[in-house]
Amino acid sequence: MLSLTREERNALIFLFILAFSGLGISYFAKTSARAQKLLYASENLARININTTTMKELLDSRCVSKRLAQQILAYRQEYGEFTCIDDLKKVKGIGERSYERLKDLFCLG
Amino acid sequence: MNKYLPLFTAVFISGIIFTSRLRISFVVFFIWGILILLACIISGGKARVFLCLTFLTAFILGALLMKISYILPADHIARLLAYSKQDICSVEGYVSNQPYIKNGRTTFILCARQMQQDKYRYKCFGRIMVTLDFTADLNYGEGLLLTGSLRRLKQYSGSRSGYGEYLLRQGVYLSMKVNSSLGLSRLKVNWGFWLKVFSLRLREFLNDLIKRSSTALSAGVISAMVLGEKKGLPQLVNSVMTNSGTVHILVVSGFNVGVVAFLSDLIFKIARLKRRKRIILVTISILLYCLVTGAAIPVVRATVMAVILLFAYYLEREPQIYNALSLAALFILSLNPRQLFDIGFQLSFASVWAIAWGYPKLKSLLRIESIKPGLAGLLLEGFLVSLSAWLGTAGIIAYNFRIFSPISVFLNILIVPLATLITLAGFSIVLAGVFCPGAASLFAPAADFLVTILLKLNLAAVKIPFSYIYF
């Protein structure tokens, strides 16, 4: 008979716990939209809300330069909220290449 | 005798630092080295003198290795470029890493084999950072003939800790820019090393497995933690974790190597292999894992340490953590002494050393010799380990990144166990995906949920005033 050490038995228990909790989470996520939002990270969680972001948040993200952050905020002040991510192309200093880099960084809220 | 190897390594490192600061000729060091070696041989009988002389030899060895790393052979491409008047040339070689496509550009490292300038053709070697101004589906090992502008890397390397400096430390001295697809011709040969081709394919396969079973955001985080694959990791996640001082969990390191060793041992045990055979196969597994994750410094450090520990078990001897750590440092620095100035190297070794040395010291300092078992004891132990690692690395982080994150000491108490669970869940997904693809979806929801908690905790932590300070 195969003899397992304490650590190996713990590993198997961990796998069972993982499988059971996975099934439980799946059940809740499938039956309730609210639970789904709570249990799974939406892609927006890893994005900056372009309509509410501040200078500090933009700079601390280390994904945009100070000048570009100023331009984004200036655009928002002048034209109001961004209605779609494509509006980023209208910001001074954002060309096609920068847009490709930035479009996954922002969301509309 | 237990402290001999750590001391030897410390002296060896000081030799590297000394040479990097002072301009002394290689020949001078070499003559000194020979004299000291002769003295070593003569004083073989006198233990103390011999010991002092071996330390001196270690110093000279470090210095010589550093010196020789600056000297390029005559057929190195960076030396051939010195004779050219114009920078447009053709280079034949092969892709030596997995190409990276972003913002319509393709970036990779090319291992040169031949270059042509004007009418002259030279056989050469050396590595070049290539940027194609268009997207191209290239693979590791693929033979290419590129025509573009070849320049020295220093021209765009600005800061001390920038990407340019990092490339120079890796032995990449030149950059090449190819503006149009006319400058790229595929040679339809593969010059890559078969083991690396295999490990890169395995990495791609495992990454696809994770992507198929998890949500996009979770898959990005899990792939980074399990496979060291950071392409799918959103920029914001990386910067938020840097700010909260928890970015270290995204680096494949000792824990991952330990999990691979444990899991492979379990599989070989189920296959009823004997102890010694199992140790050999576990060693092969962790070496393969090191290649799959891209052999970054932290994982090389952990792999060398694990191999030493496994070797000690094989010989049925007691392993010593400081000796294993010192040997890992000597191994990496012998291959490339300039890695000493790499932030990854410094953080990896400093954190392990700080935990091994600082944690017992902190325990005795706070007079908590025997922490009571239970939740409180576990939390206190976690706090002390986190504090030791933070103390060991805070200086390096503050100096290089100009950031100070006091929140990380407290946040790590929660984040480290959570990251442990995510890594274990990630490995479960990978293993299940390999042996029984349907079972991966059993583990994935739990992993996704844990990633959600991890991200929400980090986002909440960085919103606390003074949780991190840039200076």
Side-chain angles (χ1 to χ4, degrees):
Chain A
M1 185 64 195
L2 185 75
S3 62
L4 296 175
T5 63
R6 193 184 163 82
E7 286 79 20
E8 288 158 354
R9 287 201 298 268
N10 286 345
L12 280 176
I13 290 169
F14 174 78
L15 282 179
F16 291 140
I17 292 173
L18 205 65
F20 275 105
S21 50
L23 286 170
I25 289 165
S26 271
Y27 171 78
F28 281 118
K30 280 179 181 172
T31 49
S32 154
R34 210 174 148 195
Q36 191 181 17
K37 265 189 177 179
L38 202 75
L39 296 169
Y40 295 148
S42 78
E43 291 201 8
N44 284 357
L45 196 67
R47 288 178 180 175
I48 298 170
N49 186 342
I50 198 162
N51 289 322
T52 56
T53 188
T54 58
M55 187 69 164
K56 187 182 181 301
E57 195 183 1
L58 282 173
L59 291 181
D60 287 356
S61 74
R62 302 201 296 181
C63 302
V64 287
S65 65
K66 191 177 177 181
R67 198 169 167 185
L68 200 56
Q70 280 169 342
Q71 297 287 5
I72 290 168
L73 297 182
Y75 178 91
R76 204 174 67 194
Q77 208 165 17
E78 198 174 337
Y79 300 102
E81 288 195 344
F82 287 80
T83 51
C84 61
I85 291 296
D86 278 5
D87 283 352
L88 268 173
K89 287 180 187 171
K90 295 175 191 167
V91 176
K92 201 179 165 188
I94 299 182
E96 199 59 46
R97 275 234 161 98
S98 309
Y99 171 74
E100 283 300 314
R101 184 172 64 85
L102 294 171
K103 70 175 185 192
D104 293 332
L105 180 68
F106 294 112
C107 66
L108 294 170
Chain B
M1 199 58 194
N2 283 346
K3 284 178 184 170
Y4 178 75
L5 201 55
L7 266 172
F8 185 89
T9 312
V11 178
F12 179 82
I13 286 171
S14 59
I16 294 173
I17 296 169
F18 182 77
T19 329
S20 69
R21 299 276 168 235
L22 291 174
R23 287 191 173 191
I24 300 171
S25 150
F26 177 85
V27 182
V28 174
F29 273 116
F30 195 71
I31 293 167
W32 269 100
I34 287 175
L35 288 175
I36 292 165
L37 203 63
L38 280 173
C40 259
I41 295 164
I42 294 163
S43 68
K46 297 166 190 167
R48 277 197 177 179
V49 180
F50 180 79
L51 211 61
C52 289
L53 287 170
T54 52
F55 285 140
L56 266 175
T57 315
F59 181 85
I60 299 286
L61 268 177
L64 282 174
L65 263 172
M66 187 65 182
K67 270 280 155 203
I68 210 154
S69 75
Y70 286 124
I71 303 166
L72 297 178
D75 54 348
H76 193 281
I77 192 162
R79 285 190 70 175
L80 293 172
L81 189 74
Y83 305 112
S84 75
K85 284 179 184 166
Q86 60 163 356
D87 58 3
I88 300 289
C89 63
S90 299
V91 180
E92 188 186 287
Y94 67 93
V95 182
S96 83
N97 66 340
Q98 200 59 23
Y100 185 61
I101 298 172
K102 203 174 182 188
N103 307 330
R105 284 196 180 113
T106 313
T107 313
F108 60 92
I109 305 288
L110 184 90
C111 260
R113 290 163 69 101
Q114 196 166 270
M115 80 176 276
Q116 185 174 355
Q117 218 163 23
D118 306 324
K119 288 172 187 172
Y120 304 103
R121 195 175 278 192
Y122 316 97
K123 281 216 168 204
C124 62
F125 78 100
R127 304 203 298 161
I128 306 164
M129 198 197 76
V130 178
T131 307
L132 306 178
D133 230 357
F134 50 93
T135 55
D137 188 22
L138 301 171
N139 289 308
Y140 165 75
E142 206 174 329
L144 301 173
L145 178 67
L146 299 171
T147 308
S149 60
L150 190 65
R151 286 158 197 251
R152 290 196 176 278
L153 212 55
K154 271 183 185 169
Q155 288 174 348
Y156 87 89
S157 136
S159 68
R160 177 177 41 79
S161 57
Y163 189 57
E165 288 298 313
Y166 165 78
L167 287 173
L168 286 172
R169 276 195 297 272
Q170 303 302 316
V172 182
Y173 295 92
L174 303 171
S175 71
M176 187 176 203
K177 198 172 180 193
V178 180
N179 292 324
S180 78
S181 55
L182 293 172
L184 166 77
S185 49
R186 296 176 177 220
L187 300 175
K188 290 178 183 167
V189 281
N190 196 311
W191 284 314
F193 178 44
W194 67 270
L195 194 58
K196 195 169 173 183
V197 173
F198 170 72
S199 56
L200 281 171
R201 281 193 189 150
L202 184 61
R203 177 188 171 127
E204 213 167 292
F205 168 72
L206 298 176
N207 195 25
D208 279 347
L209 264 178
I210 296 172
K211 270 189 197 166
R212 275 205 301 271
S213 2
S214 298
T215 60
L217 187 57
S218 300
V221 176
I222 295 169
S223 287
M225 290 170 78
V226 175
L227 302 173
E229 175 64 74
K230 288 188 180 167
K231 278 181 202 164
L233 190 73
Q235 285 171 295
L236 193 70
V237 171
N238 203 43
S239 52
V240 164
M241 286 191 164
T242 306
N243 291 342
S244 65
T246 56
V247 76
H248 62 90
I249 62 161
L250 297 176
V251 179
V252 173
S253 63
F255 175 69
N256 300 52
V257 175
V259 171
V260 170
F262 177 80
L263 288 176
S264 47
D265 185 53
L266 188 63
I267 291 165
F268 299 134
K269 199 172 184 181
I270 291 167
R272 306 214 169 181
L273 292 177
K274 287 194 174 157
R275 187 178 161 272
R276 289 209 161 186
K277 272 187 189 165
R278 276 204 326 259
I279 291 175
I280 294 167
L281 288 172
V282 168
T283 309
I284 294 169
S285 308
I286 57 173
L287 288 173
L288 185 65
Y289 180 69
C290 178
L291 284 173
V292 167
T293 55
I297 292 175
V299 75
V300 173
R301 194 255 315 138
T303 305
V304 174
M305 285 179 75
V307 169
I308 294 163
L309 297 184
L310 284 168
F311 192 60
Y313 287 128
Y314 188 86
L315 298 176
E316 292 175 7
R317 288 181 65 174
E318 186 74 23
Q320 295 277 340
I321 180 102
Y322 292 116
N323 284 353
L325 193 64
S326 306
L327 267 177
L330 281 174
F331 175 78
I332 294 168
L333 294 175
S334 303
L335 292 176
N336 182 2
R338 279 189 270 177
Q339 297 283 22
L340 182 66
F341 305 100
D342 188 273
I343 303 157
F345 177 93
Q346 292 169 5
L347 288 175
S348 178
F349 279 88
S351 55
V352 175
W353 178 80
I355 293 169
W357 184 80
Y359 171 62
K361 295 270 171 201
L362 274 176
K363 259 171 84 174
S364 64
L365 196 76
L366 298 169
R367 295 179 184 172
I368 319 164
E369 284 308 323
S370 53
I371 297 173
K372 284 178 189 170
L375 189 65
L378 209 68
L379 281 174
L380 189 62
E381 214 167 305
F383 173 74
L384 290 181
V385 170
S386 171
L387 184 66
S388 339
W390 183 75
L391 287 171
T393 54
I396 301 166
I397 291 170
Y399 179 71
N400 289 292
F401 301 109
R402 306 265 162 212
I403 187 175
F404 181 69
S405 312
I407 192 79
S408 72
V409 182
F410 304 99
L411 193 59
N412 271 314
I413 302 168
L414 298 171
I415 293 291
V416 171
L418 199 57
T420 307
L421 288 176
I422 295 170
T423 311
L424 291 173
F427 275 109
S428 309
I429 292 172
V430 167
L431 269 183
V434 171
F435 293 110
C436 171
S441 56
L442 265 180
F443 304 129
D448 291 348
F449 177 56
L450 291 169
V451 171
T452 309
I453 299 174
L454 175 90
L455 295 178
K456 286 188 174 169
L457 262 175
N458 266 292
L459 286 165
V462 292
K463 280 182 184 155
I464 298 169
F466 304 109
S467 55
Y468 63 94
I469 304 151
Y470 276 100
F471 55 92

